Structure formats: C-alpha cells, structure tokens
C-alpha cells in the first residue's frame, strides 16, 4: 500500500520532503477550493522541485463540472507543470456516461503529452449528498475511459469519514472492481490510523491522508509534521506485516 500525503502548499511540501523515506506520493491540492481543489501550475512546479526526484507528485484538477473540454485543458496543465498522477474529481457528473465523457478527454490530453502519466478518476464516498456518480460506478468509468486508477474521497469535509459513508465491505467491493479492471484503487477521506487494518485487508493500493499527519489531526489549521508522517507509515508497515504473516500461516 502506497502512502499519498497532501500538503497545502510549498512550505508543507518541504516538510514532506523531510519525511520522503516514509511516503510514496506527494499530492498537490488547494483545500480551500474543495475536497479535490486545484492549485496553481506554479505551485505544482515548485512542489515538484521541492521534493526528491524519485517521489512522484500528483495533482488534483478540481471538483470539476461536466465540461469535458475545460477539464481536459486543466488536466494537461497539471501534467505540463510536473505532475505524474493527474486526479479528476467528478463532482459535476451526475451519470456514468458524463463521467466517462470527461475522463476520456482527460486521458487523451494527458497521455498525448506524457504517456507514462497516470490518470485517476476520483469520486466521492458521500456522493449521495452532492448528487454525483455512485462510488461503485467509478471503476467502470475509469476502465471505459482508459484511466489508470479509481479513487474515492469525501466531498464534504465536515468531520465525517470515508467509512461513515462507504463501509469497509463496500470499499472492498470498490477495490475488487478496480482490480478486476486492471486499475489501481485509491482511498482517502479523513482516513486515520485506526482505519489501516481494514484498508490493508481489502487490498487498497494507495491511501491518501492529510489530517492524519497534521498537528492535532486538523487538516485546516494543523500543519503536516514529518514525525507524524513517519508514525503513520510505521502503522501501515505494521499492518502489512501482520497481514502477510496471517496469510502465510493460513497457507
């Protein structure tokens, strides 16, 4: 399981760089513009320069409307700015067909520029609160559009968490559908250390965090601290070892 950490700017990215050995992906977003709010191109470039070259950078292009051309241009901008993972929050897509339409444009725009970039179709565990695509439809959207990964986050940051809206067994079905389609499965949404046992058990490929590695667990007023990133990774590794040991014993 890979650890994705989301700093809110260049200064926090430098703190992530200090903990680079403990994380796998540095994610660029702008939390005050939404769950998957897009940051500026120059911020993506500055963060790319601030973290070690062997640590990929991901960038969100926003909680996007159903405007395929607009979103494709935004996604290309993120790739040009140095992002390896391009995440699209399908906020304004009310049907799978609309979501596929948006994602096909993104995939073409990004892959024409950088074939090795990874495109992530991102949906929301609390989709019922905003009227967008059902979470379990996301893997099929990603497959049909040629994306590389499917992701769930939470749209409304009100203290509720991923598992409050999509329980572990349903997240497990999300992961299974993603894997059946040859995709990576990413899960986020106020994920905490106590969720790692379930996330490991269901085979999550990427876990995304912010609040869990911020002072006081506060994604808004707290700041990412390297020691909290290290502690979270240690918990991830512990669960991975326990899972491997259990599988070996059962085998």
């Amino acid at each position: 399981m890979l650890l994705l950490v989301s700093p809110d700017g260049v200064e926090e990215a430098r703190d992530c760089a200090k903990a680079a050995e403990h994380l796998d992906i540095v994610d660029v977003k702008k939390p005050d513009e939404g769950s998957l709010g897009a940051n500026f191109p120059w911020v993506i470039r500055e963060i790319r320069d601030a973290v070690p070259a062997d640590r990929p950078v991901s960038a969100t292009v926003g909680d996007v409307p159903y405007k395929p051309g607009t979103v494709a241009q935004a996604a290309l901008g993120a790739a040009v700015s140095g992002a390896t993972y391009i995440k699209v929050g399908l906020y304004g897509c009310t049907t799978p067909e609309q979501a596929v339409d948006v994602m096909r444009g993104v995939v073409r725009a990004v892959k024409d520029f950088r074939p090795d970039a990874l495109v992530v179709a991102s949906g929301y565990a609390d989709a019922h609160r905003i009227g967008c695509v059902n979470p379990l439809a996301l893997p099929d959207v990603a497959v049909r559009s040629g994306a590389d990964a499917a992701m769930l986050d939470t749209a409304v940051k009100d203290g509720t968490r991923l598992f409050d809206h999509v329980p572990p067994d349903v997240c497990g079905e999300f992961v299974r559908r993603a894997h059946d389609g040859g995709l990576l499965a990413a899960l986020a949404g106020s994920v905490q250390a106590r969720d790692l046992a379930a996330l490991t058990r269901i085979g999550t490929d990427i876990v995304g965090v912010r609040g869990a590695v911020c002072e006081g667990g506060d994604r808004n007023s707290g700041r990412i601290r390297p020691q909290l990133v290290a502690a979270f990774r240690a918990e991830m590794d512990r669960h991975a070892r326990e899972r491997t040991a259990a599988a070996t014993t059962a085998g």
Side-chain angles (χ1 to χ4, degrees), residues 35 91 124 126 129-130 154-160 165:
S35 170
Y91 192 98
Y124 305 90
D126 52 347
R129 300 206 284 185
I130 58 173
T154 50
V156 183
K157 300 299 185 181
D158 61 354
T160 59
H165 301 287

Side-chain angles (χ1 to χ4, degrees), residues 170-215:
V170 182
C171 283
E173 176 64 13
F174 174 88
V175 171
R176 185 190 67 76
R177 293 186 186 189
H179 288 170
D180 285 351
L183 306 168
L184 296 171
L187 294 171
S190 300
V191 167
Q192 299 176 12
R194 69 176 185 266
D195 302 319
L196 288 172
L199 291 168
T200 303
R201 175 177 53 80
I202 64 178
T204 310
D205 298 301
I206 303 170
V207 58
V209 299
R210 173 170 171 76
V213 295
C214 285
E215 293 171 310

Side-chain angles (χ1 to χ4, degrees), residues 103-123:
M103 291 307 304
R104 281 178 176 161
V106 168
V107 168
R108 178 170 178 177
V110 170
K111 301 284 189 178
D112 280 355
F113 172 74
R114 184 173 179 178
D116 64 337
L118 299 176
V119 177
V120 185
S122 300

